[in-house]
Every structure is written in C-alpha cells, then in structure tokens.
Amino acid sequence: MFEKTLKRVFGYDSFRPGQREVIDAVAEGQDVLAIMPTGAGKSLTFQLPSYIKNDGLTIIVSPLLSLIEDQMLHIRERGERGVARLTSMETLEEKQEILNHLKRYRFLYLSPEQLAVPHVTRALARTKIQMLVVDEAHCISQWGHEFRPEYARLGELRKQLGSPQCMAVTATAPETVKRDIVEKLALFSPAQFVHSANRPEIRLIVERLGSEDKMRRLSELVHDVPKPAVIYTATRREAEALALHLDDALFYHGGMSTEDRRLVQSQFLRDEVAIMVCTSAFGMGVNKDNVRSVIHYQIPATLEAYMQEIGRAGRDGEPAFAVLLYAEGDERIQQFLIDQQYPKDKDIRLAYFERDNGTSLAQLPRLLRLNEEDPVWGLLNQMLAERTLAEAVDWVKDRKRARYRQLGQMMDYALIKTCRRDYLLNYFSEQPVKQSDCCDICGEIVFPPSEQLVSKNVTDWKHRLARIFSFD
C-alpha cells in the first residue's frame, strides 16, 4: 500500500534510505522523533501517512514563512488542493475563512505564534486532527527558550488540541536538543530515528586569514568553487554589500519584502544566478539539490547552525564543499549579536522598578526606548510575568553564558588542528569515520573545474537593489 501511494501521489518508485521505517511508526500511531539529514526527504515521512490513514487534518508547525511557502508550492504542484496556511501574511478575513472550513483541508501549515492564538487553538480543537508535526524541531531548543516562546509552549498547545499523535523532525540535534524536543512536546515513548549527522559528500575547509584579506579571498573563492554557491553572512548589511561587490550574485535576508525574496529565491532555484549571499533567513526547506558550495564569510554562532547551513550543499549526493573564512576577532560580531538579543541588566532593573511603582506595561517600552515589536521587549515582558527580579537577572546571565559557550565550540572547530569531521561527529555523539576527501586537516582539498552557469537579468536586478538600498 505504501509503495502504491508513493508512486500515485508523489511519483517516486522507491523510498529513500530511512523513510520507510519512519512512515511505519507514524502509520502505527506512535509519537515520532526523526533526525534525518538535509535532503533525506523528511517532508514525505509526514505527508504520505496522511494519504494512508486519511483520518483528519495534519497540522504542520514550521518556523519560517519561506519554508512554509516552499513546501506548499511542492504540495500544490502534485495536484493537492487541500492545503492552507495561517501566517502573518494572511488577512483576518482570510484566516477566518480557513478556520471556518477546516474540513476542506488535508494539510494546514502555520507558525507556532499562530497556533498559540486563542481562537485558532479553539477552532482546531473542534477539528479531527490526525497528527501534529513540528518541522525543524531543533528550533524548540534553539529559539524556544527566549526569542519565540511559543515554541516552548507547543507541548501545552498540543494538550489543548486533545493530545494528537505528534511527530518532530529536524536535520541536526545533539543529545541536549533531543531531550528538549521530547520534553517540550510531551512526546509519549516516541519512536526515535536518528540518522548520522555526517555528510560524507561535503568536504570541510577552514581558511584562516587576516581581516583585511577576507574580501580579496572571497572574490577568488567564488571563481574557484563549483557553483551554484551560497555565501552566509552574519548581518543583512554585509549580505547586501557582498552581493553588490561580487559578480553573478544576489542577496537575500529577512528585511526584504516578500515579493523581492520570492523573486531572488526563484532566480537562484532556476539557476539564473550562480551565487546567493544571505543571512540565516535563507535555506531551511529550500528545495535545491545541486548547490555545490557553501561559504561562511563570518563564523556562525553555533555548530548546529553551521551544520544546518552547510547541509544546503550536495543534497544530490554529489561532491560539495563547505568553506569557512575565519579572521581573528570574527567572533566579536556574534558576541555583539548575542548581547543585542537580551535586555541589559540596567533595563531589567528599571522595568521591574517602574512596574512595582505603578507604571503600566503599556508605558514601559517607551521608557526603555524599545519598540513593542522588538524581541527584546517581548522577552522582558515575558520575564516580568513569570520571574522575580533576581530570577530574571540570573536567567539572562545563564542564557548568555550558554550562548557564549556554544560560540566557543564553534571557535574550537575553526581553530583545531585535528580532523574537523571527527570534531563535528563527536559533538553530535557519533563515532569518528575515515573517508577520503574529508577536510583540509586530513589532506589537501582541490576544487574541480567550475562550470559557469548562465545568468539572466542579474545586472538589471542588481541595479534595482542598488536603487532600493541606496548603494552607490
């Protein structure tokens, strides 16, 4: 039955390694935690059972609008019309129309914030739910502690929906994150499928440079590495500047309009541009198998983020390359970003003082010079509701200390003089492996001759971006 559905609905003749075992557990009604590498076909493991069981709505909680858009596009391309989404992009009228006709749908995609909206939760609780899926479930641990607290509430929200069968899927998760996922989602004796984090087709390279040499070296690299290529930066400004400096490159980040992000992404997916320069906003769920190289212009904040991002390369199983350019002091940008993500000690103390002396919560953002939409205010507001002053101060110190420790582990990876692959696998509690073309420590990595992709309209598009962002 599974193979017939695979062929009829998805057009595939056989399952990829690891898919069938996960689908069997889902079909048997078990809670599931599936950690499968990028490109292993995680989405099929929760979509196919919906056609087999055909017994209610499958809800997929997903962290990024681009990820939701990409998966919905692929579902509709195969002729499925019973799919909808609830995100910040829909109007109130559009959302209500979907909630009024939930029985029409097989799949409903939404963000954790939308799931937490009371009238949405109530409408879903009145609906027969076949399964709750949490895609990119590592975000429960990565973001749920502070920046998107609804992630941490997903277990509670699941109970409000009647505790339906639950599936958590992600590409990478060390032991601490796996425990977080199981605990936060209240998974009941879940069937766990943990595939190796190793991507043998990706060659790992770190180049140590002087800060003044990075741009020159990047310009050389983009000519040498096989393409298509993705270049990750830590900031939006850096993504814009690098894309305008390089030939045959566009940029992508969360500050762009939805229309511009869609246009840039579609050009990259169709091989109309060879190089995408982006922040971490680009990548999750982007269905492009032939990315040959991922370059990090700045060091990422965590090893989990690094593995997620280099995992965009080589999804077709062919050789690919991950190059990290590191200059002494590069970590300072991540330290700065970590500091900016938490309220300052003086602001915490002022907020508690003002609240305890009768100042309303509505007045506090203005007093603290914070925008009400600022995640820092959201975090501080949450602390005011849940913690004493001493607890809030200690909590922020502990979280920043943990974030600095993660950055230190990423620094260790950049600076080690032993096998980089072994270091990564040890972090994910795996045994070392021996393979050829492993990393720059184990032997010289040589880039193959790079075919130049045909690029269309990149010059005109870059001129448009230059006008939008006022570049000379």
Side-chain angles (χ1 to χ4, degrees):
M1 178 189 297
F2 290 175
E3 282 74 12
K4 288 182 179 179
T5 303
L6 181 70
K7 180 66 175 178
R8 176 177 59 84
V9 177
F10 297 89
Y12 300 131
D13 294 319
S14 60
F15 290 103
R16 294 181 186 179
Q19 286 181 325
R20 179 59 192 266
E21 295 86 344
V22 176
I23 291 170
D24 284 341
V26 173
E28 291 170 3
Q30 292 180 267
D31 284 349
V32 170
L33 171 59
I35 301 172
M36 303 170 69
T38 301
K42 294 185 290 294
S43 59
L44 185 138
T45 63
F46 58 78
Q47 290 179 18
L48 187 144
S50 174
Y51 294 93
I52 297 295
K53 300 171 78 171
N54 198 27
D55 189 29
L57 181 66
T58 296
I59 298 173
I60 304 103
V61 177
S62 195
L64 295 175
L65 180 58
S66 60
L67 180 56
I68 292 174
E69 288 178 335
D70 186 72
Q71 290 203 13
M72 287 186 62
L73 174 64
H74 290 290
I75 289 174
R76 286 173 172 159
E77 282 179 344
R78 64 170 188 258
E80 174 63 70
R81 293 293 174 263
V83 56
R85 71 180 188 187
L86 295 176
T87 70
S88 58
M89 301 304 297
E90 284 72 52
T91 65
L92 290 175
E93 292 76 14
E94 289 170 335
K95 290 175 182 176
Q96 195 57 53
E97 175 69 13
I98 292 170
L99 292 174
N100 289 342
H101 300 93
L102 286 171
K103 291 183 179 180
R104 293 178 182 174
Y105 303 108
R106 182 183 299 276
F107 303 108
L108 177 65
Y109 281 84
L110 71 174
S111 66
E113 288 82 5
Q114 291 295 323
L115 181 60
V117 174
H119 77 270
V120 173
T121 309
R122 289 194 296 270
L124 292 173
R126 296 191 294 268
T127 304
K128 185 171 182 56
I129 298 173
Q130 179 170 291
M131 184 164 59
L132 172 66
V133 179
V134 180
D135 200 5
E136 304 293 349
H138 64 279
C139 296
I140 289 172
S141 182
Q142 181 177 330
W143 290 339
H145 290 293
E146 55 268 75
F147 310 119
R148 296 178 70 172
E150 285 78 13
Y151 263 113
R153 293 186 54 214
L154 283 175
E156 173 192 333
L157 294 169
R158 179 191 175 198
K159 290 180 181 177
Q160 293 178 28
L161 299 179
S163 297
Q165 180 185 7
C166 187
M167 180 179 185
V169 294
T170 187
T172 55
E175 288 298 326
T176 53
V177 174
K178 285 190 283 188
R179 288 196 295 270
D180 253 1
I181 293 171
V182 172
E183 177 186 340
K184 293 290 195 306
L185 291 177
L187 299 182
F188 178 73
S189 299
Q192 298 194 31
F193 302 91
V194 181
H195 293 251
S196 175
N198 187 34
R199 293 288 302 280
E201 67 276 14
I202 301 178
R203 286 80 165 123
L204 305 171
I205 303 169
V206 176
E207 295 190 13
R208 295 185 63 181
L209 307 161
S211 57
E212 67 280 1
D213 297 326
K214 288 185 75 175
M215 182 67 81
R216 174 192 56 77
R217 180 55 183 148
L218 180 66
S219 297
E220 295 173 350
L221 266 178
V222 297
H223 286 97
D224 295 340
V225 298
K227 289 172 272 294
V230 176
I231 301 173
Y232 277 103
T233 72
T235 68
R236 297 172 179 179
R237 181 179 294 275
E238 195 83 69
E240 295 166 7
L242 292 182
L244 291 167
H245 174 80
L246 300 171
D247 295 330
D248 203 10
L250 298 179
F251 66 76
Y252 182 109
H253 60 63
M256 298 165 64
S257 71
T258 300
E259 177 188 352
D260 286 344
R261 281 188 280 118
R262 283 175 178 165
L263 177 57
V264 171
Q265 180 171 307
S266 67
Q267 286 186 275
F268 187 64
L269 291 176
R270 295 196 302 264
D271 287 335
E272 294 177 358
V273 60
I275 302 165
M276 179 67 77
V277 189
C278 56
T279 63
S280 59
F282 180 83
M284 273 198 269
V286 173
N287 189 22
K288 185 172 177 63
D289 289 345
N290 68 333
V291 173
R292 299 268 62 87
S293 304
V294 171
I295 300 171
H296 280 86
Y297 191 71
Q298 279 112 6
I299 194 166
T302 68
L303 286 167
E304 290 95 330
Y306 180 70
M307 289 293 285
Q308 288 277 337
E309 288 165 3
I310 68 171
R312 315 302 177 212
R315 291 179 59 172
D316 54 7
E318 296 298 316
F321 300 84
V323 184
L324 168 61
L325 299 180
Y326 174 72
E328 185 176 352
D330 276 0
E331 64 277 9
R332 292 181 193 134
I333 182 62
Q334 292 295 352
Q335 292 169 346
F336 172 79
L337 293 173
I338 289 171
D339 288 341
Q340 295 303 302
Q341 291 166 348
Y342 296 89
K344 295 179 175 59
D345 185 271
K346 64 180 181 61
D347 288 339
I348 297 173
R349 297 181 185 280
L350 177 59
Y352 275 81
F353 174 83
E354 291 290 346
R355 184 203 63 179
D356 293 345
N357 283 275
T359 302
S360 70
L361 288 177
Q363 294 174 297
L364 283 179
R366 181 179 57 81
L367 288 172
L368 298 171
R369 295 185 174 86
L370 292 173
N371 188 302
E372 290 187 15
E373 301 302 317
D374 190 330
V376 173
W377 165 245
L379 179 57
L380 184 52
N381 195 14
Q382 179 188 352
M383 290 192 296
L384 286 164
E386 298 177 358
R387 293 180 170 87
T388 65
L389 171 59
E391 290 171 342
V393 170
D394 288 344
W395 185 86
V396 169
K397 287 180 180 177
D398 288 344
R399 287 301 300 160
K400 289 175 70 172
R401 193 179 297 119
R403 298 289 304 282
Y404 286 136
R405 184 168 58 250
Q406 290 178 312
L407 179 58
Q409 292 166 327
M410 188 67 234
M411 289 284 298
D412 289 344
Y413 170 80
L415 299 174
I416 58 170
K417 297 181 179 180
T418 57
C419 177
R420 301 191 194 281
R421 194 175 305 271
D422 285 357
Y423 181 88
L424 292 174
L425 292 177
N426 179 67
Y427 179 79
F428 289 98
S429 304
E430 295 188 36
Q431 295 299 311
V433 298
K434 296 295 181 183
Q435 68 173 71
S436 59
D437 295 319
C438 176
C439 70
D440 59 292
I441 300 294
C442 294
E444 184 182 7
I445 302 295
V446 179
F447 300 124
S450 179
E451 296 182 9
Q452 294 301 314
L453 297 178
V454 177
S455 300
K456 306 172 184 175
N457 303 321
V458 174
T459 302
D460 291 344
W461 178 237
K462 289 178 77 168
H463 286 162
R464 179 185 170 194
L465 292 177
R467 290 195 302 272
I468 293 172
F469 294 97
S470 301
F471 283 100
D472 295 330

PDB file of all heavy atoms in Angstrom, residues 31 155 157-166:
ATOM      1  N   ASP A  31       4.104   8.366  18.590  1.00  0.00           N
ATOM      2  CA  ASP A  31       4.825   9.633  18.537  1.00  0.00           C
ATOM      3  C   ASP A  31       6.210   9.343  17.969  1.00  0.00           C
ATOM      4  O   ASP A  31       6.793   8.284  18.225  1.00  0.00           O
ATOM      5  CB  ASP A  31       4.961  10.251  19.928  1.00  0.00           C
ATOM      6  CG  ASP A  31       3.665  10.885  20.411  1.00  0.00           C
ATOM      7  OD1 ASP A  31       2.725  11.040  19.601  1.00  0.00           O
ATOM      8  OD2 ASP A  31       3.591  11.231  21.608  1.00  0.00           O
ATOM      9  N   GLY A 155       4.066  21.907  23.650  1.00  0.00           N
ATOM     10  CA  GLY A 155       3.522  20.761  24.383  1.00  0.00           C
ATOM     11  C   GLY A 155       2.194  21.101  25.039  1.00  0.00           C
ATOM     12  O   GLY A 155       1.230  20.317  24.993  1.00  0.00           O
ATOM     13  N   LEU A 157       0.177  23.522  24.055  1.00  0.00           N
ATOM     14  CA  LEU A 157      -0.793  23.733  22.973  1.00  0.00           C
ATOM     15  C   LEU A 157      -1.270  22.400  22.408  1.00  0.00           C
ATOM     16  O   LEU A 157      -2.442  22.257  22.040  1.00  0.00           O
ATOM     17  CB  LEU A 157      -0.175  24.590  21.878  1.00  0.00           C
ATOM     18  CG  LEU A 157       0.143  26.034  22.275  1.00  0.00           C
ATOM     19  CD1 LEU A 157       1.007  26.713  21.214  1.00  0.00           C
ATOM     20  CD2 LEU A 157      -1.150  26.820  22.490  1.00  0.00           C
ATOM     21  N   ARG A 158      -0.384  21.449  22.351  1.00  0.00           N
ATOM     22  CA  ARG A 158      -0.784  20.108  21.881  1.00  0.00           C
ATOM     23  C   ARG A 158      -1.872  19.527  22.787  1.00  0.00           C
ATOM     24  O   ARG A 158      -2.845  18.926  22.302  1.00  0.00           O
ATOM     25  CB  ARG A 158       0.445  19.196  21.851  1.00  0.00           C
ATOM     26  CG  ARG A 158       0.155  17.770  21.392  1.00  0.00           C
ATOM     27  CD  ARG A 158       1.347  16.873  21.638  1.00  0.00           C
ATOM     28  NE  ARG A 158       1.052  15.490  21.315  1.00  0.00           N
ATOM     29  CZ  ARG A 158       1.758  14.457  21.726  1.00  0.00           C
ATOM     30  NH1 ARG A 158       2.836  14.644  22.480  1.00  0.00           N
ATOM     31  NH2 ARG A 158       1.412  13.228  21.393  1.00  0.00           N
ATOM     32  N   LYS A 159      -1.725  19.698  24.092  1.00  0.00           N
ATOM     33  CA  LYS A 159      -2.748  19.203  25.019  1.00  0.00           C
ATOM     34  C   LYS A 159      -4.087  19.888  24.771  1.00  0.00           C
ATOM     35  O   LYS A 159      -5.144  19.250  24.841  1.00  0.00           O
ATOM     36  CB  LYS A 159      -2.297  19.433  26.463  1.00  0.00           C
ATOM     37  CG  LYS A 159      -1.133  18.547  26.898  1.00  0.00           C
ATOM     38  CD  LYS A 159      -0.738  18.836  28.338  1.00  0.00           C
ATOM     39  CE  LYS A 159       0.452  17.970  28.759  1.00  0.00           C
ATOM     40  NZ  LYS A 159       0.902  18.285  30.145  1.00  0.00           N
ATOM     41  N   GLN A 160      -4.059  21.191  24.466  1.00  0.00           N
ATOM     42  CA  GLN A 160      -5.300  21.916  24.194  1.00  0.00           C
ATOM     43  C   GLN A 160      -5.987  21.398  22.926  1.00  0.00           C
ATOM     44  O   GLN A 160      -7.194  21.555  22.764  1.00  0.00           O
ATOM     45  CB  GLN A 160      -5.008  23.402  24.055  1.00  0.00           C
ATOM     46  CG  GLN A 160      -4.544  24.065  25.349  1.00  0.00           C
ATOM     47  CD  GLN A 160      -4.213  25.532  25.166  1.00  0.00           C
ATOM     48  OE1 GLN A 160      -4.763  26.207  24.301  1.00  0.00           O
ATOM     49  NE2 GLN A 160      -3.296  26.039  25.987  1.00  0.00           N
ATOM     50  N   LEU A 161      -5.203  20.775  22.047  1.00  0.00           N
ATOM     51  CA  LEU A 161      -5.770  20.205  20.825  1.00  0.00           C
ATOM     52  C   LEU A 161      -6.228  18.765  21.025  1.00  0.00           C
ATOM     53  O   LEU A 161      -6.655  18.104  20.067  1.00  0.00           O
ATOM     54  CB  LEU A 161      -4.731  20.247  19.695  1.00  0.00           C
ATOM     55  CG  LEU A 161      -4.233  21.634  19.277  1.00  0.00           C
ATOM     56  CD1 LEU A 161      -3.196  21.505  18.166  1.00  0.00           C
ATOM     57  CD2 LEU A 161      -5.386  22.521  18.835  1.00  0.00           C
ATOM     58  N   GLY A 162      -6.125  18.269  22.257  1.00  0.00           N
ATOM     59  CA  GLY A 162      -6.562  16.901  22.529  1.00  0.00           C
ATOM     60  C   GLY A 162      -5.440  15.887  22.473  1.00  0.00           C
ATOM     61  O   GLY A 162      -5.688  14.682  22.344  1.00  0.00           O
ATOM     62  N   SER A 163      -4.198  16.348  22.551  1.00  0.00           N
ATOM     63  CA  SER A 163      -3.008  15.490  22.526  1.00  0.00           C
ATOM     64  C   SER A 163      -2.992  14.532  21.338  1.00  0.00           C
ATOM     65  O   SER A 163      -2.907  13.305  21.488  1.00  0.00           O
ATOM     66  CB  SER A 163      -2.884  14.701  23.836  1.00  0.00           C
ATOM     67  OG  SER A 163      -2.705  15.569  24.927  1.00  0.00           O
ATOM     68  N   PRO A 164      -3.063  15.067  20.116  1.00  0.00           N
ATOM     69  CA  PRO A 164      -2.992  14.187  18.940  1.00  0.00           C
ATOM     70  C   PRO A 164      -1.605  13.580  18.793  1.00  0.00           C
ATOM     71  O   PRO A 164      -0.631  14.042  19.417  1.00  0.00           O
ATOM     72  CB  PRO A 164      -3.283  15.149  17.775  1.00  0.00           C
ATOM     73  CG  PRO A 164      -2.805  16.477  18.267  1.00  0.00           C
ATOM     74  CD  PRO A 164      -3.128  16.492  19.734  1.00  0.00           C
ATOM     75  N   GLN A 165      -1.509  12.545  17.966  1.00  0.00           N
ATOM     76  CA  GLN A 165      -0.207  11.975  17.629  1.00  0.00           C
ATOM     77  C   GLN A 165       0.723  13.088  17.184  1.00  0.00           C
ATOM     78  O   GLN A 165       0.312  14.027  16.487  1.00  0.00           O
ATOM     79  CB  GLN A 165      -0.356  10.945  16.517  1.00  0.00           C
ATOM     80  CG  GLN A 165       0.950  10.290  16.088  1.00  0.00           C
ATOM     81  CD  GLN A 165       0.765   9.372  14.891  1.00  0.00           C
ATOM     82  OE1 GLN A 165      -0.312   9.321  14.294  1.00  0.00           O
ATOM     83  NE2 GLN A 165       1.803   8.637  14.523  1.00  0.00           N
ATOM     84  N   CYS A 166       1.990  13.011  17.590  1.00  0.00           N
ATOM     85  CA  CYS A 166       2.919  14.092  17.320  1.00  0.00           C
ATOM     86  C   CYS A 166       4.192  13.554  16.683  1.00  0.00           C
ATOM     87  O   CYS A 166       4.697  12.497  17.065  1.00  0.00           O
ATOM     88  CB  CYS A 166       3.258  14.836  18.611  1.00  0.00           C
ATOM     89  SG  CYS A 166       4.249  16.335  18.363  1.00  0.00           S
TER      90      CYS A 166
END
